[in-house]
């Protein structure tokens, strides 16, 4: 019996768990979250979703930002226009929640070894992107006059 994409992703994460990556399935059974301690420091939580034939890994960079309308507009413009280190990383804003996240999307291949290689490459790309820029991004957002909602 062929494994579904989510089952293949779980097998890869189970393998990574042996190497210290912490993963946890969320209640709706369609999403997995994990801390990347394989390629990064573990300070970012990655969310894996299966979208059709693809896997999307998103890291919420910032919860809703707070500030006056001019500051917020400047902050979102800044975030959405960040130059990418890698063309596969996209920055998006959820209009409803105000959350801003970085994500990568790639095909869910059937071969477990290829899937592990692909996931490793994309998680490494996303982690490298965030680890290299996050502190600077926070400082620049604060200079634009916004604050972060408490608890995030």
């Amino acid at each position: 019996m062929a494994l579904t994409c989510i089952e293949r992703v779980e097998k890869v994460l189970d393998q990574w768990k042996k190497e210290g990556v912490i993963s946890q399935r969320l209640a709706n059974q369609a999403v997995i979250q994990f801390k990347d301690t394989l390629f990064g420091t573990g300070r970012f939580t990655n969310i894996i979703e299966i979208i059709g034939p693809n896997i999307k890994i998103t890291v919420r960079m910032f919860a809703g930002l707070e500030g006056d309308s001019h500051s917020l507009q400047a902050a979102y413009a800044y975030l959405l226009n960040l130059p990418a280190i890698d063309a596969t990383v996209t920055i998006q804003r959820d209009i409803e929640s105000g959350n801003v996240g970085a994500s990568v999307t790639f095909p869910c291949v059937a071969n477990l070894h290829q899937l592990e290689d692909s996931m490793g490459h994309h998680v490494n790309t996303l982690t490298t992107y965030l680890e290299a820029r996050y502190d600077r991004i926070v400082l620049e957002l604060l200079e634009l006059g916004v604050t972060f909602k408490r608890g995030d």
Side-chain angles (χ1 to χ4, degrees):
M1 181 170 151
L3 297 175
T4 65
C5 182
I6 195 82
E7 291 169 335
R8 292 191 304 270
V9 168
E10 286 176 323
K11 284 198 173 286
V12 170
L13 289 175
D14 285 345
Q15 181 63 34
W16 288 2
K17 190 181 283 189
K18 294 175 187 171
E19 299 176 43
V21 175
I22 304 163
S23 62
Q24 170 186 355
R25 191 189 259 294
L26 299 179
N28 67 7
Q29 300 295 306
V31 175
I32 298 172
Q33 66 180 9
F34 69 96
K35 297 276 192 179
D36 175 19
T37 56
L38 188 60
F39 299 104
T41 62
R43 69 176 170 162
F44 300 109
T45 299
N46 297 268
I47 305 294
I48 295 179
E49 298 174 88
I50 308 305
I51 302 172
N54 295 320
I55 297 170
K56 181 177 183 179
I57 301 176
T58 303
V59 176
R60 186 180 73 181
M61 296 167 60
F62 303 103
L65 302 173
E66 297 179 318
D68 64 60
S69 62
H70 182 266
S71 296
L72 287 172
Q73 186 176 12
Y76 285 124
Y78 165 76
L79 286 169
L80 297 175
N81 290 298
L82 284 171
I85 289 173
D86 186 295
T88 61
V89 177
T90 34
I91 308 294
Q92 298 170 320
R93 177 181 175 216
D94 178 11
I95 300 299
E96 290 180 29
S97 68
N99 291 342
V100 176
S103 64
V104 294
T105 302
F106 54 96
C108 185
V109 296
N111 180 290
L112 280 175
H113 179 70
Q114 289 175 340
L115 181 62
E116 182 175 10
D117 285 349
S118 186
M119 282 179 61
H121 168 75
H122 287 91
V123 169
N124 187 18
T125 298
L126 191 56
T127 298
T128 300
Y129 180 91
L130 292 172
E131 295 285 0
R133 295 170 174 241
Y134 193 79
D135 293 331
R136 189 188 80 218
I137 291 170
V138 169
L139 289 174
E140 291 186 19
L141 288 173
L142 292 172
E143 288 176 3
L144 290 172
V146 297
T147 57
F148 307 101
K149 287 187 178 177
R150 293 197 47 81
D152 295 314

